[in-house]
Amino acid sequence: MKKHMKTSRWMTGLVAVGCAAGMGAAPRAAAEVSQADFDSLKDLVLKLSDQVQSLRQTNQLEQQLHEQDVQQIQQLQAKLAETSRTATDAQQKAVAASQTAPMPRVPIDEATVNHNFQILGDAEVQYAKTSGQNGSFVMADFAPIFLYRGGDNVLFESGFDFILQNNPQNSNPATPGATTTVNLSFAQLDYVINDYLTLCAGNLLLPLGTYSERSAGWLNKFPDSPLARGFVPGNGVGAELRGAAPLGESGALLNYAVYGVNGPSSSDNTGQAGSLDLGGNVGLRSDNVVANLHGNPTGGGRVAVFVPFKPHYDLELGLSAQSGEWDNAGQHLWTAGVADATLHLGPNLEAKGEYIVSRYGSDDLGNVTQQGWWAQVGYKLAGLNLEFPGINNLELVGRYDSVRDGMGGSTQRTSFGGVYYISNALLFEGAYEFLHSTDPTQADQIILQLSYGF
Amino acid sequence: MQTTMVAALGALLLGVIALTPGCADQAAATGTSATASTRHQLTGAELYSIHCNRCHPERYPTERTAAQWKTITLHMQVRANIPGNQARMILKYLQDNSGR
């Protein structure tokens, strides 16, 4: 480029000098030059002027090219600056990332220690409105669970329920307000004998069906329990052997449990049908007398098969039973049987239910047979792949309950509800329950509950 | 009477299981299961996804430390009737991915 510019300037100069010389010489020479000479000179001048013209044009073109080049250079410079900026940015980011990247895993001493104590549990706050009554908030439950592990084979686990309740309005005016009750839901020592058998002793959650062993506010999709669960005890004081053995290599299991517990008793020492007390008989009276309230312990057990077809697709079928004397005189047997089923079809669909029957002898009504069943279906809307905000956290649930208490009472209940998963352990549940009952105090109700598993 | 017999039979059955640890493993090892050759041994991650969200929403490995998982897995092993060797595989998976 520079070389071109120099040449064109030099040539323009040359032409100018030539012209000046030509003009200066012209008048003196006019007389002496021939027409032919003049013409050839004129031609030459014309040619020269043409050349000058074309040179000027090339120069102009070159000027333009030069400007374009300058622009290009500026653009390139700008680009270069930008590139180097992104490069330094990237470098800084890389440095920052390498500072926050997880350190390589080192074994944690804590994980290898032999003893460990932990508190888990759940808490629930309820709002309930029964038709014909005032709606109200109910601080239903604070249920911590204490776990103490010693070595690989010993675990002590216990769960409490702290419940706050209003005192009855017609109670002693000296004790108005509310009462806090503490329930020991379970407190058992587990000793793992081998891979297939564990010995448990204490206040056990009973494997009569699966409901009692699998309930906590953040597990249940309805804020309240199935009605038929009222026919069997949820826990009992005694000892249990339980475990599972693999059936083949697909993950299928045979589950088993046998136990002996004090069993149900009579609330007033009689054998009247209405005196059956499923929750009593814990071995110690409140006046500190050690007492099994009837002569013989109660035995029970459960067998079940669990078949996973693939992750999130499985079926569990179980049969369980418990039987023993219940009245103080040891005259009458109380026997219960439960069939339970749980089905998962993918991560979004769950169906489960139980059939419960119990029969016991009594002084006044002879044999009383109580029976009921419940079935519950839940579907997580995430399965629909919809785009609406929040819809993927919602599960719709339905449950049907039916009970006959063997003394003329029966209730059917249909419940519809939803669970909104704020997180995997914080749930907002709502249910509307339609009730048909021979008991006039039972009515439709709406229950809202916030449950947290911690 | 009947109840006592049922309970006694159950106890006997469990006694047999208690005295023969590893019986199921042996059956699998000798290839007596017809499908054993076509199926692979389930991994800790697979066992975790088979068991750990069937009773409650899944609790993620990062929610607890390795030490806490050791105790919780024992709690769940007893509660959910998971054979010990499977529980150990699940525990390993949880600890390898645990929070700290």
Side-chain angles (χ1 to χ4, degrees), chain A residues 41-59:
Chain A
L41 195 64
K42 189 174 148 195
D43 269 0
L44 190 69
V45 170
L46 280 176
K47 264 184 207 151
L48 277 173
S49 100
D50 276 356
Q51 267 174 359
V52 168
Q53 188 67 28
S54 84
L55 274 172
R56 205 177 272 150
Q57 276 172 359
T58 3
N59 192 31

Side-chain angles (χ1 to χ4, degrees), chain A residues 102-106 108 110-114 116-120 145 147-149 151-155 157 186 188 190 192-198 200 205 212-215 218-219 241-246 248-258 299-300 302 306 308 310-312 314 316 322-324 333 342 344 347 350 352 421 424-425 427 453-454, chain B residues 1-4 6-29 31 33 35-37 39-42 45-51 53-60 62-86 88 91 94-100:
Chain A
M103 303 282 291
R105 248 170 202 289
V106 282
I108 309 165
E110 205 204 337
T112 59
V113 296
N114 232 6
N116 179 265
F117 174 68
Q118 258 184 81
I119 301 179
L120 318 165
I145 291 168
L147 299 180
Y148 182 85
R149 177 179 62 77
D152 289 334
N153 300 326
V154 179
L155 179 72
E157 38 176 326
F186 63 97
Q188 63 185 66
D190 307 331
V192 179
I193 300 170
N194 62 33
D195 279 4
Y196 313 108
L197 206 59
T198 300
C200 308
L205 286 172
S212 306
E213 291 189 328
R214 301 179 189 177
S215 60
W218 63 282
L219 273 73
L241 276 171
R242 62 186 286 151
E249 287 194 41
S250 62
L253 298 173
L254 175 70
N255 293 347
Y256 35 81
V258 282
R302 177 173 181 260
F306 168 72
K310 52 183 172 176
H312 311 305
D314 55 66
E316 183 178 3
Q322 179 179 322
S323 183
L333 273 185
T342 308
H344 291 107
E350 179 189 73
K352 59 184 175 185
Y421 293 86
N424 61 342
L427 283 62
F454 53 83
Chain B
M1 265 308 290
Q2 263 181 337
T3 346
T4 331
V6 171
L9 272 174
L12 203 71
L13 182 80
L14 285 165
V16 172
I17 295 167
L19 292 173
T20 51
C23 52
D25 292 342
Q26 277 163 18
S33 159
T35 48
S37 54
R39 284 189 178 131
H40 73 295
Q41 165 104 47
L42 289 166
E46 281 167 328
L47 288 164
Y48 167 82
S49 57
I50 285 175
H51 288 293
N53 66 352
R54 61 182 169 100
C55 297
H56 50 67
E58 179 176 351
R59 303 303 296 247
Y60 306 111
T62 48
E63 285 181 44
R64 315 275 165 163
T65 65
Q68 290 173 331
W69 278 127
K70 190 163 180 182
T71 301
I72 294 171
T73 308
L74 190 56
H75 175 42
M76 289 299 118
Q77 172 185 336
V78 176
R79 182 66 61 91
N81 297 313
I82 299 173
N85 58 337
Q86 294 192 7
R88 282 191 293 277
L91 175 62
L94 290 166
Q95 290 187 328
D96 284 349
N97 298 284
S98 69
R100 285 178 295 164

Side-chain angles (χ1 to χ4, degrees), chain A residues 303-316:
Chain A
V303 250
V305 283
F306 168 72
V307 185
F309 307 106
K310 52 183 172 176
H312 311 305
Y313 289 77
D314 55 66
L315 175 66
E316 183 178 3

